[in-house]
């Protein structure tokens, strides 16, 4: 998890030291605390660099008669601010909260959990007040859609209808950590973008940055992805705004069961079927399935996909996204006349999608020169031993310290010379800043939304062949569909059957997209989006309006 930068504005040196000590003891979150002693220095710091939250003493030597909160809030009304007051000054704290502060802390009565929660809650609250929809990812999803809609001359009414999700649910849920008596409130989401095509389908993400905008963007992409693959689903997505790496197994289970209860009316085998995404896995799906089944009074394995095989999961689902990425890379190599056995690749991330993509690339004879995760990047000109990297991560949780190459940063990793680049970690990685510096021929988007709109234009101008996310990473939802079909029929398929059906669907979608891209002189992303949007549009027009 990236550190949270806090600006501490406190003139009492002993008090500031105590805050530092408390911040250092917080479990699971790293705080980068910058301390200044005057209001003027605080403003100076804010002008130099952005901070995530401010911890502000209401009275400072240069307060100028007003409370420092009033002045700072006027300076930047969107800044998450928690004020600090003396024990006799609590009224000042209450007044600051009435005026827009996100909380107050009383000196000498603060412990580590209160401090960490106050800062994180202030950040979350500020984001809510600054509009949950207002996220870069949702802007990206909407802009991509608008561009495709414009090019295909999409009906104005349909355009408006598809620009926003059909149903959204925001929940807050109480969550108890193992060693704390206190109960934290966390935010959860479930978004269904289009209900026209059948039940909705989409993963559940646990990440501290999850919000309504991000979840809506991911739900919209799921609609286009399912449609492009000809699957009988609309798009959905869900998530909880929490860092799962900071949770124990017991905490993760409690959180998952409570979140499932909060969204239980929205999901169901014929309504909306969740699956794993970033920060969730087979075990989380097993808990969701169990919680749902407890409420129904009988086992309902088909309520989620990506479950363990013993609970009705499908063979091949776990590795399906990475496998699908490599299937489309093979087709792209064929189209561009690149011999995979003589080519090199760099993979960003080493979670489910990335590690499997790296493994299958390696098996195909591609030399994988670089891999990375949240902790570090690893580079080896001779090729990385992917099995050894996986064994290291299984034992140590992250790649940090892996001896099979030299460490490099994630940004350096993306710019390594290679034939195939697979961003398979998180969104917003290929931007205006680095798109001109990439040295690859093919980009296969394992992650959702890794490329910004501006970067896309640069990549197109440079002739880099982009296999867009809704096509490249669609192997996951395709085998999820197979899992749902097997569950609803109480009949299981062999791994060979699954992989050959997956190959057929990925190949068909790739070829349709490529054909449209070549014939209409469109980039692959726009071509894939138009393929997806067209089928949804047709279905909407055929079903007509109710009432
Ligand atoms: P995961 O949680 O298994 O792995 C995420 C990986 O990203 C981890 O290795 C993590 O260390 C790394 N990471 C996190 N922050 C990073 C950073 N700042 N820099 C570099 N690496 C970082 O998640 P996943 O299921 O593999 O999902 C990865 C991406 O693929 C997401 O965008 C997800 O939406 C997309 N996706 C997943 C599936 C699926 O079936 N799991 C399907 C389609 C798309």
């Amino acid at each position: 998890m990236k550190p949270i930068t806090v600006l501490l504005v406190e003139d009492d040196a002993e008090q500031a030291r105590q805050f530092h000590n408390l911040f250092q003891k917080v479990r699971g979150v790293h705080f980068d605390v910058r301390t200044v002693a005057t209001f003027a220095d605080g403003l100076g710091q804010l002008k130099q660099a952005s901070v995530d939250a401010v911890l502000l003493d209401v009275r400072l030597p240069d307060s100028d008669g007003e409370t420092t909160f009033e002045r700072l809030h006027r300076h930047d009304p969107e800044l998450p601010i928690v004020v600090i007051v003396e024990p006799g000054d609590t009224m000042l704290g209450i007044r600051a909260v009435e005026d827009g502060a996100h909380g107050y802390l009383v000196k000498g009565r603060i412990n580590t959990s209160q401090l960490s929660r106050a800062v994180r809650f202030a950040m979350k609250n500020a984001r809510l007040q600054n509009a949950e929809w207002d996220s870069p990812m949702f802007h990206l999803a909407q802009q991509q859609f608008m561009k495709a809609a414009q090019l295909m001359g999409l009906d104005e009414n349909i355009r408006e209808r598809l620009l926003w999700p059909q149903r959204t649910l925001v929940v807050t849920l109480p969550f108890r950590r193992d060693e704390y008596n206190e109960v934290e409130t966390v935010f959860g989401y479930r978004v269904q973008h289009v209900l026209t095509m059948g039940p909705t389908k989409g993963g559940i993400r646990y990440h501290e940055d999850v919000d309504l905008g991000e979840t809506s963007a991911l739900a919209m992409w799921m609609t286009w992805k399912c449609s492009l693959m000809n699957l009988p689903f609309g798009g959905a997505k869900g998530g909880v705004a929490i860092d799962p790496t900071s949770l124990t197994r017991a905490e993760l289970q409690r959180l998952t069961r409570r979140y499932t209860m909060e969204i239980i009316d929205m999901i169901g085998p014929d309504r909306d079927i969740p699956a794993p995404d970033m920060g969730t896995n087979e075990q989380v799906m097993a808990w969701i399935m169990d919680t749902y089944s407890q409420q129904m009074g009988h086992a309902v394995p088909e309520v989620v996909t990506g479950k363990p095989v013993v609970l009705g999961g499908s063979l091949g689902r776990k590795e399906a996204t990475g496998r699908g990425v490599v299937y489309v890379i093979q087709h792209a190599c064929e189209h561009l006349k690149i011999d995979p056995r003589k080519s090199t690749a760099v993979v960003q991330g080493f979670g489910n999608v990335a590690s499997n993509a790296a493994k299958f690339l390696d098996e195909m004879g591609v030399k994988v020169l670089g891999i990375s995760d949240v902790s570090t990047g690893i580079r080896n000109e001779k090729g990385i031993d992917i099995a050894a990297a996986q064994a290291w991560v299984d034992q140590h949780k992250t790649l940090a310290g892996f001896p099979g190459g030299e460490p490099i940063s994630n940004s350096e990793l993306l710019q390594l010379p290679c034939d195939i680049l697979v961003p398979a970690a998180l969104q917003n990685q290929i931007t205006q800043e680095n798109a001109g510096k990439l040295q690859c021929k093919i980009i296969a988007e394992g992650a959702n939304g890794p490329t910004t709109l501006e970067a896309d234009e640069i990549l197109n101008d440079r002739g880099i062949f982009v296999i867009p996310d809704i096509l490249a990473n669609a192997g996951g939802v395709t085998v999820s569909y197979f899992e749902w079909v097997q569950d609803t029929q109480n009949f299981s398929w062999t791994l060979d059957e699954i992989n050959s059906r997956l190959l057929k669907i990925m190949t068909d979608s790739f070829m349709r997209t490529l054909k449209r891209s070549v014939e209409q002189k469109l980039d692959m992303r726009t071509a894939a989006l138009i393929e997806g949007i067209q089928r949804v549009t047709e279905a909407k027009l055929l079903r007509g309006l109710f009432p």
Side-chain angles (χ1 to χ4, degrees):
M1 182 186 175
K2 61 178 187 295
I4 295 177
T5 311
V6 177
L7 175 63
L8 172 63
V9 193
E10 171 60 83
D11 58 323
D12 178 344
E14 172 53 24
Q15 192 63 53
R17 199 184 56 76
Q18 283 179 20
F19 273 117
H20 273 266
N21 285 345
L22 288 173
F23 272 123
Q24 270 178 8
K25 286 188 200 144
V26 175
R27 181 172 73 91
V29 187
H30 176 60
F31 288 95
D32 175 8
V33 185
R34 296 165 195 177
T35 309
V36 290
T38 64
F39 188 79
D41 285 349
L43 281 187
Q45 278 280 328
L46 288 171
K47 277 178 195 146
Q48 276 172 28
S50 72
V51 301
D52 295 311
V54 179
L55 213 53
L56 179 71
D57 193 338
V58 274
R59 290 190 204 272
L60 290 168
D62 55 344
S63 291
D64 284 350
E66 281 182 294
T67 72
T68 52
F69 171 72
E70 285 166 311
R71 292 176 65 195
L72 192 57
H73 190 52
R74 207 166 41 236
H75 169 75
D76 183 352
E78 294 184 358
L79 202 58
I81 304 171
V82 177
V83 296
I84 318 164
V85 295
E86 298 288 341
D89 263 353
T90 46
M91 271 319 288
L92 274 184
I94 293 169
R95 210 171 307 137
V97 170
E98 279 170 7
D99 291 343
H102 293 286
Y104 74 94
L105 294 167
V106 181
K107 289 182 190 177
R109 296 189 199 154
I110 309 160
N111 63 31
T112 46
S113 86
Q114 284 168 333
L115 183 59
S116 160
R117 280 176 56 176
V119 171
R120 285 181 295 119
F121 211 69
M123 288 164 59
K124 182 72 200 170
N125 271 342
R127 206 145 88 197
L128 283 176
Q129 285 168 4
N130 300 337
E132 277 267 345
W133 294 99
D134 196 12
S135 95
M137 232 163 126
F138 193 43
H139 283 280
L140 175 64
Q142 288 192 321
Q143 282 172 311
Q144 287 176 350
F145 167 68
M146 294 293 274
K147 181 178 166 192
Q150 189 69 32
L151 282 164
M152 65 194 283
L154 190 68
D155 178 281
E156 189 67 32
N157 300 326
I158 301 268
R159 187 185 311 201
E160 238 174 64
R161 189 78 193 98
L162 294 175
L163 195 58
W164 299 94
Q166 201 163 332
R167 282 186 192 160
T168 65
L169 177 67
V170 181
V171 296
T172 57
L173 45 134
F175 162 60
R176 192 190 295 279
R177 286 195 188 256
D178 289 346
E179 68 270 55
Y180 295 155
N181 289 330
E182 295 146 54
V183 176
E184 236 176 276
T185 295
V186 295
F187 288 76
Y189 307 87
R190 187 72 190 167
V191 173
Q192 296 170 346
H193 177 240
V194 162
L195 281 82
T196 311
M197 312 301 290
T200 48
K201 183 105 195 66
I204 288 180
R205 177 175 283 201
Y206 289 174
H207 192 275
E208 63 273 17
D209 290 341
V210 165
D211 58 22
L212 186 59
E214 177 176 306
T215 314
S216 304
L218 290 163
M220 188 189 270
W221 285 326
M222 280 305 293
T223 299
W224 314 141
K225 195 182 298 182
C226 292
S227 175
L228 173 63
M229 297 288 126
N230 279 326
L231 306 180
F233 299 127
K237 208 79 182 190
V240 179
I242 198 160
D243 173 18
T245 60
S246 72
L247 305 181
T248 64
R249 183 185 159 89
E251 288 170 342
L252 190 64
Q253 177 167 181
R254 280 200 294 279
L255 177 87
T256 300
R257 289 188 182 280
R258 182 63 193 236
Y259 168 66
T260 308
M261 280 309 297
E262 296 297 336
I263 63 164
I264 204 155
D265 290 337
M266 218 162 158
I267 60 173
D270 302 317
R271 290 178 171 217
D272 180 12
I273 306 127
D277 190 72
M278 233 168 117
T280 58
N281 55 19
E282 288 190 331
Q283 177 60 74
V284 171
M285 293 308 115
W287 289 326
I288 295 178
M289 176 253 176
D290 183 67
T291 307
Y292 187 87
S293 301
Q294 296 292 344
Q295 297 303 310
M296 297 302 136
H298 57 93
V300 191
E302 63 274 27
V303 68
V304 287
T305 58
K307 304 176 286 291
V309 173
V310 70
L311 294 178
S314 176
L315 294 170
R317 168 60 184 95
K318 201 169 164 186
E319 58 275 26
T321 311
R323 193 183 282 281
V325 169
V326 176
Y327 283 160
V328 288
I329 288 174
Q330 269 173 309
H331 288 307
C333 284
E334 217 165 284
H335 169 66
L336 299 171
K337 304 200 170 29
I338 295 173
D339 181 354
R341 281 154 308 170
K342 290 186 189 140
S343 64
T344 55
V346 165
V347 181
Q348 187 193 32
F350 208 66
N352 179 328
V353 180
S355 64
N356 281 302
K359 181 177 112 183
F360 294 125
L361 282 169
D362 188 45
E363 283 177 12
M364 198 166 85
V366 176
K367 196 197 280 183
V368 181
L369 303 177
I371 52 174
S372 74
D373 69 4
V374 68
S375 68
T376 185
I378 302 284
R379 167 197 197 166
N380 188 338
E381 276 305 310
K382 295 194 188 111
I384 289 168
D385 181 341
I386 301 299
Q390 187 63 62
W392 180 271
V393 170
D394 291 344
Q395 199 185 344
H396 301 90
K397 283 193 165 181
T398 66
L399 281 169
F402 174 59
E406 326 144 27
I408 53 167
S409 71
N410 260 285
S411 57
E412 288 168 324
L413 179 104
L414 291 173
Q415 293 171 33
L416 287 176
C418 63
D419 298 300
I420 305 153
L421 178 63
V422 185
L426 68 175
Q427 61 272 14
N428 202 21
Q429 294 301 295
I430 303 175
T431 63
Q432 209 165 4
E433 278 73 47
N434 64 4
K437 299 180 195 152
L438 303 188
Q439 304 183 62
C440 58
K441 296 180 186 132
I442 297 171
I443 293 177
E445 294 182 338
N448 284 310
T451 309
T452 66
L453 214 64
E454 299 80 17
D456 239 347
E457 275 178 28
I458 300 172
L459 299 177
N460 289 335
D461 288 347
R462 295 187 57 209
I464 295 177
F465 188 83
V466 178
I467 315 174
D469 44 10
I470 61 167
L471 173 60
N473 68 36
V477 69
T478 304
V479 177
S480 271
Y481 164 62
F482 297 163
E483 180 173 331
W484 180 73
V485 170
Q486 293 171 80
D487 285 342
T488 48
Q489 298 187 346
N490 294 308
F491 183 74
S492 49
W493 305 348
T494 65
L495 186 59
D496 279 349
E497 272 175 293
I498 286 159
N499 288 342
S500 66
R501 284 178 207 250
L502 172 64
L503 177 61
K504 208 163 151 226
I505 292 181
M506 297 291 300
T507 303
D508 173 61
S509 309
F510 180 90
M511 291 308 172
R512 272 188 283 118
T513 305
L514 183 64
K515 184 165 179 278
R516 185 182 284 274
S517 146
V518 172
E519 283 177 4
Q520 300 183 8
K521 297 195 174 38
L522 297 168
D523 57 90
M524 283 289 279
R525 186 183 317 281
T526 311
L529 281 167
I530 292 179
E531 280 287 319
I533 296 167
Q534 204 157 52
R535 188 162 159 262
V536 176
T537 304
E538 227 171 281
K540 275 208 166 295
L541 291 173
L542 283 168
R543 279 187 62 162
L545 265 193
F546 175 84

